[in-house]
């Protein structure tokens, strides 16, 4: 199949993907990203690179699904992928909200115990009554 | 604070500086047979200061968790302290403590696991606005259809639960608008739910947590909550 993507664009896309990886790696280096969540982004970059180097895959896939225009196919695939990413982010955010709730509750219960212990302690720093059972 | 009773009253308070004092003082003076705990849910008024000044038994949440998260804190406290019965009451004076005995008796007699104080059995006292009653009856019918369990006042926050449910709710309590979902959840766990008549007062001060604009959101969210909760238990009842 003759070149679907002009060579100049291919080069540009490869440069873009390299920059993408540099950004991810620098975020990782500065510990601003957890490896757990980064794997998804690394995988995304890899898929993008494969598609840029072998655009025939995309053409095959598109005709298989029944989309006629190459650009439409590209957009639909991208949007589907982004929706999945956002969904996984929402799920991560929900789980963190649950964990924060648990933490606040635990903190509040502990604060109560500390407060009551402090009230028991005399000014001298000795326990005024018998030990907490 | 040491445990002096088997029954814990959990008072969730979010910005209740106007009502809290009279509600809690009344409990301390006239109902000393019950233990109580106030859960200050990250209020940004003087609720915490009042609790501190009056030396109430209170838990101070640094951030507002909403009624579900606050009540769950209460259940965790109840489990930690080994209470047999936990009663939810509002800090705004809507719930008359005169009915505490009615609400806890079925549990003490082991006739129910979960008792709900209902405005709509004898239809006495403050009945809420007409639009809200429609919303409540829609949710009530939805629960009846899904669970074959008729509960009239599904949004009532005046509730008592026994030890088995304290343990469950300490680990897992619905968030945001928990009342109707909690009924479905308890029913699906084959707990015995009982409604007893109570008379509720109109709030003495402050504003209700559910205003008119939020009610549409409330209905949609709670309906979905109920359905999802029902589905996640499968066909078994």
């Amino acid at each position: 199949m003759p070149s679907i993507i002009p060579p100049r664009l291919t080069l540009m896309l490869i440069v873009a993907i390299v920059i993408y990886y540099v950004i991810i790696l620098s975020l990782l280096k500065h510990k601003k990203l957890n490896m757990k969540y980064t794997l998804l982004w690394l995988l995304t970059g890899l898929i993008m690179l494969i598609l840029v180097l072998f655009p025939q895959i995309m053409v095959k896939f598109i005709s298989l699904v029944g989309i006629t225009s190459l650009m439409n196919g590209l957009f639909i695939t991208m949007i589907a992928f982004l929706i999945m990413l956002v969904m996984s982010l929402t799920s991560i955010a929900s789980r963190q909200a649950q964990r924060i709730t648990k933490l606040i509750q635990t903190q509040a219960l502990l604060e109560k115990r500390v407060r009551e212990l402090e009230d028991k302690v005399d000014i001298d720093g000795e326990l005024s009554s018998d030990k907490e059972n | 604070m040491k445990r002096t009773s088997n029954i814990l009253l959990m008072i969730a308070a979010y910005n209740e500086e106007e009502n809290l004092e009279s509600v809690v003082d009344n409990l301390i003076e006239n109902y000393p047979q019950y233990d109580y705990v106030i859960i200050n849910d990250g209020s940004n008024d003087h609720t915490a200061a009042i609790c501190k000044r009056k030396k109430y038994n209170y838990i101070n949440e640094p951030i507002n968790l909403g009624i579900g998260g606050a009540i769950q804190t209460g259940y965790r406290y109840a489990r930690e302290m080994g209470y047999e019965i936990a009663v939810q009451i509002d800090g705004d004076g809507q719930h008359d403590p005169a009915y505490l005995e009615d609400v806890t008796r079925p549990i003490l007699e082991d006739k129910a696991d979960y008792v709900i104080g209902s405005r709509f059995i004898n239809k006495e006292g403050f009945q809420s606005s007409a639009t809200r009653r429609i919303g409540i009856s829609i949710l009530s019918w939805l629960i009846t259809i899904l669970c074959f369990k008729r509960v009239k006042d599904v949004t009532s926050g005046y509730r008592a639960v026994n030890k088995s449910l304290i343990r469950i709710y300490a680990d897992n309590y619905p968030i945001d608008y928990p009342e109707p979902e909690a009924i479905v959840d308890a029913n699906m766990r084959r707990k015995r739910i009982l409604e007893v008549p109570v008379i509720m007062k109109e709030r003495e001060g402050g504003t209700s947590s559910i205003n008119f604009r939020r009610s549409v959101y409330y209905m949609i969210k709670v309906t979905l909550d109920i359905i999802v909760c029902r589905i996640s238990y499968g066909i078994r009842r």
Side-chain angles (χ1 to χ4, degrees):
Chain A
M1 203 177 283
S3 63
I4 305 161
I5 305 175
R8 196 186 289 175
L9 184 58
T10 309
L11 196 70
M12 283 304 295
L13 288 172
I14 289 173
V15 170
I17 289 169
V18 169
I19 292 170
Y20 171 86
Y21 269 108
V22 169
I23 292 172
I24 289 181
L25 288 178
S26 81
L27 282 174
L28 273 175
K29 195 184 153 201
H30 295 105
K31 308 226 177 287
K32 285 177 180 168
L33 266 183
N34 283 352
M35 188 47 107
K36 194 176 159 191
Y37 303 131
T38 313
L39 286 174
L40 199 61
W41 295 107
L42 291 175
L43 192 72
T44 313
L46 194 69
I47 292 170
M48 286 195 293
L49 192 66
I50 291 171
L51 286 180
V52 168
L53 292 178
F54 309 102
Q56 302 91 328
I57 298 173
M58 199 66 208
V59 179
K60 275 267 167 55
F61 171 74
I62 282 166
S63 66
L64 206 72
V65 180
I67 303 164
T68 44
S69 155
L70 179 63
M71 284 319 279
N72 272 349
L74 208 62
F75 282 134
I76 289 170
T77 330
M78 268 173 55
I79 291 169
F81 203 82
L82 287 176
I83 287 175
M84 283 193 317
L85 272 176
V86 172
M87 240 185 245
S88 81
L89 288 178
T90 313
S91 127
I92 290 165
S94 305
R95 207 181 64 211
Q96 287 186 338
Q98 280 173 20
R99 289 175 168 201
I100 291 169
T101 302
K102 277 265 151 71
L103 273 177
I104 292 171
Q105 291 172 339
T106 310
Q107 187 272 348
L109 289 165
L110 279 175
E111 189 260 352
K112 182 175 191 299
R113 289 172 70 171
V114 171
R115 194 191 332 126
E116 281 166 5
L117 275 173
E118 279 177 347
D119 288 347
K120 271 192 178 177
V121 177
D122 264 347
I123 307 158
D124 303 313
E126 281 170 28
L127 282 175
S128 57
S129 60
D130 53 350
K131 264 188 161 182
E132 183 95 327
N133 47 351
Chain B
M1 187 119 160
K2 285 202 177 117
R3 193 154 66 87
T4 58
S5 163
N6 282 330
I7 301 173
L8 176 72
L9 312 177
M10 307 183 295
I11 308 155
Y14 175 59
N15 292 347
E16 294 287 4
E17 60 182 5
E18 289 173 54
N19 311 304
L20 191 68
E21 227 175 318
S22 63
V23 170
V24 178
D25 283 347
N26 177 28
L27 285 175
I28 294 171
E29 250 173 64
N30 302 319
Y31 302 89
Q33 67 269 41
Y34 305 110
D35 283 0
Y36 74 94
V37 66
I38 301 162
I39 302 122
N40 172 34
D41 189 16
S43 302
N44 38 34
D45 63 355
H46 296 105
T47 304
I50 291 169
C51 292
K52 196 174 178 186
R53 175 165 52 82
K54 300 280 284 188
K55 292 192 166 56
Y56 289 150
N57 185 43
Y58 69 102
I59 299 170
N60 223 358
E61 284 171 1
I63 300 169
N64 178 252
L65 291 179
I67 181 70
I71 285 297
Q72 191 181 22
T73 308
Y75 281 121
R76 286 180 64 171
Y77 177 75
R79 181 177 62 179
E80 219 170 74
M81 304 288 286
Y83 282 100
E84 299 291 328
I85 297 176
V87 187
Q88 296 173 216
I89 46 176
D90 281 2
D92 59 10
Q94 273 191 89
H95 300 157
D96 190 343
Y99 297 98
L100 282 171
E101 219 190 311
D102 292 348
V103 171
T104 51
R105 197 188 306 114
I107 296 178
L108 287 169
E109 290 171 355
D110 197 27
K111 283 179 183 157
D113 304 303
Y114 196 165
V115 179
I116 297 162
S118 173
R119 283 164 284 187
F120 304 136
I121 291 184
N122 290 348
K123 295 202 165 71
E124 285 177 273
F126 178 58
Q127 293 285 302
S128 190
S129 68
T131 41
R132 277 196 200 166
R133 280 206 303 279
I134 293 169
I136 291 168
S137 70
I138 292 172
L139 292 177
S140 169
W141 277 107
L142 185 70
I143 290 177
T144 311
I145 292 164
L146 289 174
C147 308
F148 307 109
K149 175 76 199 170
R150 184 92 175 104
V151 177
K152 281 182 173 170
D153 198 350
V154 289
T155 59
S156 163
Y158 201 171
R159 296 165 176 217
V161 309
N162 69 2
K163 206 167 190 173
S164 70
L165 276 165
I166 290 176
R167 257 187 245 124
I168 290 168
Y169 286 156
D171 282 329
N172 216 328
Y173 193 70
I175 39 173
D176 289 344
Y177 305 116
E179 292 88 1
E181 193 186 343
I183 294 175
V184 177
D185 189 70
N187 185 63
M188 298 317 288
R189 292 176 193 274
R190 298 164 199 237
K191 301 296 177 191
R192 295 161 298 167
I193 301 168
L194 187 74
E195 263 188 304
V196 298
V198 299
I199 295 173
M200 287 193 195
K201 298 174 203 161
E202 211 160 343
R203 355 180 354 111
E204 285 163 9
T207 49
S208 167
S209 58
I210 301 162
N211 60 34
F212 187 75
R213 202 180 285 179
R214 279 198 199 152
S215 51
V216 175
Y217 169 74
Y218 178 90
M219 284 304 289
I220 295 171
K221 188 194 167 289
V222 171
T223 305
L224 288 174
D225 273 341
I226 291 171
I227 293 170
V228 169
C229 181
R230 176 64 186 83
I231 290 170
S232 55
Y233 278 98
I235 298 162
R236 74 181 169 86
R237 270 197 354 105

